[in-house]
Amino acid sequence: MSVMDGLQQKLQQQLSCIYNDVDIDISVPALAAQLIDIMRITEYCQVPEPFVNHWSEKDIIMITYGDSVIQQGERPLTTLAQFIDSYLSCINAVHILPFFPYSSDDGFSVIDYSSVNEGLGSWADISAIASKRRLMSDLVINHCSSRSLWFENFCKGEGVGHDYFFTAEPDDDLSAVVRPRTSTLLRPTETPSGTQHVWCTFSHDQVDFDFRNPQVLIEFVRIIRQYLDAGVSIFRLDAVAFLWKIVGNKSINLPQTHEVIRLLRTLIEHAQQDVIIITETNIPNTQNLTYFGNANEAHCIYNFSLPPLLINSLITGSCLYLKRWLMSMPPAQDGTTYFNFIASHDGIGLRPAEGLLEEDEIDTLVDTMKQFGGQISSRTTEDGLQKPYEMNIALFDALQGTTKGKDQWGMQRFVCAHTIMLALEGIPGIYIHSLLGTRNDYQKLANTSHNRAINRHRWDLNQLTEQLNDANSDHSQVLTELTNLINIRTQQIAFHPNATQFTLHLGLQLFGFWRQSRNRKQSIFCISNVSDQITDLRINELNLIIAEHWVDLLSGQPIEDITQTMQLQPYQTVWISNVRI
């Protein structure tokens, strides 16, 4: 069987699974052929090799908006590119959050997927960034803006998009639907055929697509092809867990959703084998893990449980829950890995902590974040109750103290959080405002009345460079510390995203794990004091091999006596390695 015949057959099987219960106006073979044609896959393509890791220990992804750093009279994407080159050369990949024309939600309500927001720059600017670093782009696949041409045509009842949106009836049983918002699910919309009630998982400006219509799938495959041509090599599938809807169902994590992701992966990897798919599924941990499939779905999944659990450890001084979770996490098989982060443009999600943190722990965590200036966003449960959904706060402020209140250890605690995250199995993602030590933006919060705005500051380049050139400023110290950590991390083969990881048992104040390189030549014992007390680390509990030479990679200090007891200062981390690369 030829490569093309095999691809055609595989796509037909996937499409048959997706549309098994749907009458579509195109034959499955014809649809498969059309998708192949759109992706420009030819008979000369290679069969993708399974279980291949398209990443290494050198990969660090920075998360940023296109206008997180601005300079008067210059396109923000140009400013961003120059700033990265000047100050963030340690970063080899960048996730530019939605850079398209939009109407709300800071870019996630897309008006036109095929254009770059003129206020940011052009496709040439996007491609210029992609020419120097791996570029990650959002594929906002669940919904679009109510101001898009597609939705305008839906309202007119004619033209491209008039049948792209999911509707239901007000008297349908929608009580089981799971969603992260408190607004009403259905949006009444006048059309030539009468009032239609459009499904809106997130807001009434974000109208959900109806993937039962294969034309919607065709449109997104066209979009993917355009992004590949522009240099995008990592696709973040935004809110993809909600993609397929069934009235009377929870309408989350449905089998058809998983099959759509598998189909998109099949197309993408035949077009360009080293492209990565990351699914953004802010849901309980066990559900999140299913998006790996059998190494045939997402290449990476967000480690959404890490931020709340790590912050909980650092404000309580106990790693109990963090350690339990890490012990329960399955090692990612080759061809898959975790995407680790502790801060992003969104808040710190609490749903991924459900079942991992006790309710009273979550309550304490929420109360502490409020004391540090954070906002709390809620969702409506299936019982109609309001429940905290995410904590909105800058990470630097979130870690300025403990449950006892603010203290003098904020900087050390903040750096400790990153030493833990950078050493864990997976690819690290660091928010630009973490790299810069940005604080809560109360002015933006007041101006927008949106809780998430508190962590979406926009820096003026001149003011930022003034801060970064002042060695005494928090911003300069943070960037220096994190740059040093990244430079050390990226030189260690034991920090390959798929290198072996085992959890250590060193009590509740010391959080530790062991990494071993895939060739077994390097071991690193990563141990952090998560408390505000000086804590003893008994080196002999690590079972270091006496014939090896050991060194703390972070301080450069050799471990002369493997029977010694080392005192770890509050929030100090050691990376004890037998090889210094």
Side-chain angles (χ1 to χ4, degrees), residues 484-512:
N484 182 54
L485 282 175
I486 290 168
N487 286 334
I488 295 172
R489 191 258 187 206
T490 55
Q491 297 303 310
Q492 314 308 320
I493 56 175
F495 285 153
H496 185 283
N498 293 86
T500 300
Q501 175 174 286
F502 284 109
T503 308
L504 303 176
H505 299 280
L506 304 169
L508 297 182
Q509 290 179 289
L510 296 179
F511 177 64

Side-chain angles (χ1 to χ4, degrees), residues 11-46:
L11 290 174
Q12 288 180 199
Q13 292 171 347
Q14 292 173 323
L15 290 166
S16 295
C17 289
I18 295 168
Y19 298 110
N20 181 53
D21 297 324
V22 182
D23 290 328
I24 57 177
D25 58 4
I26 184 174
S27 72
V28 165
L31 179 55
Q34 186 172 355
L35 297 179
I36 291 171
D37 184 60
I38 291 170
M39 289 293 285
R40 300 200 300 275
I41 301 171
T42 70
E43 60 184 320
Y44 302 107
C45 76
Q46 295 181 335

Side-chain angles (χ1 to χ4, degrees), residues 424-442:
L424 285 168
E425 173 190 358
I427 300 172
I430 307 182
Y431 191 32
I432 189 171
H433 292 303
S434 293
L435 286 164
L436 302 176
T438 309
R439 307 293 295 268
N440 289 335
D441 189 335
Y442 295 112

Side-chain angles (χ1 to χ4, degrees), residues 422-549:
L422 283 166
L424 285 168
E425 173 190 358
I427 300 172
I430 307 182
Y431 191 32
I432 189 171
H433 292 303
S434 293
L435 286 164
L436 302 176
T438 309
R439 307 293 295 268
N440 289 335
D441 189 335
Y442 295 112
Q443 182 176 348
K444 192 168 186 179
L445 173 66
N447 290 342
T448 64
S449 298
H450 292 149
N451 286 350
R452 287 177 169 175
I454 198 172
N455 192 29
R456 297 178 177 178
H457 183 69
R458 184 177 294 142
W459 276 103
D460 174 78
L461 179 62
N462 293 330
Q463 293 177 357
L464 178 57
T465 53
E466 181 180 345
Q467 289 292 323
L468 295 180
N469 292 335
D470 177 2
N472 294 318
S473 78
D474 287 345
H475 307 292
S476 176
Q477 292 175 26
V478 165
L479 182 57
T480 299
E481 289 279 358
L482 297 192
T483 298
N484 182 54
L485 282 175
I486 290 168
N487 286 334
I488 295 172
R489 191 258 187 206
T490 55
Q491 297 303 310
Q492 314 308 320
I493 56 175
F495 285 153
H496 185 283
N498 293 86
T500 300
Q501 175 174 286
F502 284 109
T503 308
L504 303 176
H505 299 280
L506 304 169
L508 297 182
Q509 290 179 289
L510 296 179
F511 177 64
F513 49 94
W514 171 70
R515 303 295 308 279
Q516 184 183 59
S517 62
R518 294 163 66 82
N519 63 7
R520 300 187 179 182
K521 290 185 177 181
Q522 184 183 27
S523 290
I524 305 178
F525 292 85
C526 310
I527 301 149
S528 298
N529 179 2
V530 297
S531 76
D532 58 3
Q533 303 296 314
I534 296 174
T535 305
D536 288 341
L537 168 62
R538 295 176 178 83
I539 302 295
N540 61 351
E541 293 183 2
L542 302 180
N543 296 320
L544 303 186
I545 299 172
I546 195 169
E548 299 275 3
H549 295 286

Side-chain angles (χ1 to χ4, degrees), residues 60-311:
I60 308 283
I61 300 176
M62 184 187 72
I63 307 162
T64 182
Y65 279 102
D67 59 355
S68 289
V69 182
I70 57 173
Q71 180 166 237
Q72 187 173 3
E74 188 171 70
R75 295 192 304 270
L77 286 173
T78 300
T79 305
L80 177 66
Q82 293 171 348
F83 179 74
I84 293 172
D85 288 344
S86 299
Y87 288 91
L88 302 174
S89 58
C90 59
I91 300 295
N92 72 343
V94 59
H95 172 200
I96 304 179
L97 291 153
F99 45 80
F100 319 104
Y102 70 97
S103 56
S104 64
D105 198 16
D106 279 356
F108 286 91
S109 185
V110 179
I111 293 176
D112 180 6
Y113 289 83
S114 64
S115 301
V116 173
N117 184 344
E118 291 182 355
L120 295 177
S122 66
W123 280 114
D125 296 308
I126 293 294
S127 295
I129 292 173
S131 69
K132 294 185 177 181
R133 290 170 176 82
R134 297 196 76 168
L135 176 62
M136 178 169 162
S137 172
D138 288 276
L139 190 68
V140 186
I141 197 169
N142 178 71
H143 52 263
C144 72
S145 169
S146 65
R147 289 175 49 195
S148 65
L149 175 62
W150 292 340
F151 194 69
E152 289 179 2
N153 287 342
F154 172 85
C155 296
K156 296 175 183 176
E158 60 182 15
V160 175
H162 79 276
D163 53 357
Y164 280 11
F165 300 94
F166 195 95
T167 62
E169 296 300 325
D171 56 357
D172 286 335
D173 181 7
L174 304 175
S175 59
V177 174
V178 174
R179 52 194 292 264
R181 296 293 185 271
T182 57
S183 58
T184 55
L185 175 63
L186 300 182
R187 165 193 164 133
T189 303
E190 297 305 317
T191 73
S193 57
T195 303
Q196 300 280 330
H197 295 85
V198 180
W199 192 288
C200 299
T201 298
F202 293 93
S203 78
H204 283 193
D205 185 46
Q206 294 166 297
V207 285
D208 283 27
F209 292 113
D210 185 356
F211 270 83
R212 295 174 303 179
N213 179 356
Q215 290 301 318
V216 177
L217 176 63
I218 290 169
E219 286 286 1
F220 273 94
V221 172
R222 287 197 183 102
I223 292 165
I224 288 169
R225 182 64 261 181
Q226 180 183 4
Y227 294 1
L228 287 172
D229 291 340
V232 172
S233 59
I234 308 174
F235 286 88
R236 176 185 184 269
L237 305 190
D238 176 65
V240 71
F242 304 97
L243 182 140
W244 198 272
K245 294 107 172 128
I246 297 176
V247 171
N249 186 285
K250 289 185 177 182
S251 294
I252 186 171
N253 306 323
L254 295 182
Q256 295 91 334
T257 293
H258 286 278
E259 199 64 53
V260 168
I261 298 170
R262 287 192 284 268
L263 179 137
L264 294 179
R265 174 162 174 168
T266 298
L267 289 166
I268 288 171
E269 65 186 5
H270 276 82
Q272 189 172 324
Q273 290 198 24
D274 61 348
V275 172
I276 297 170
I277 293 174
I278 300 182
T279 48
E280 189 267 332
T281 48
N282 195 352
I283 51 181
N285 193 50
T286 53
Q287 298 174 26
N288 191 31
L289 288 168
T290 65
Y291 283 86
F292 276 142
N294 182 26
N296 62 349
E297 202 164 326
H299 295 90
C300 303
I301 62 171
Y302 274 76
N303 237 339
F304 276 109
S305 297
L306 177 61
L309 292 177
L310 181 51
I311 291 170

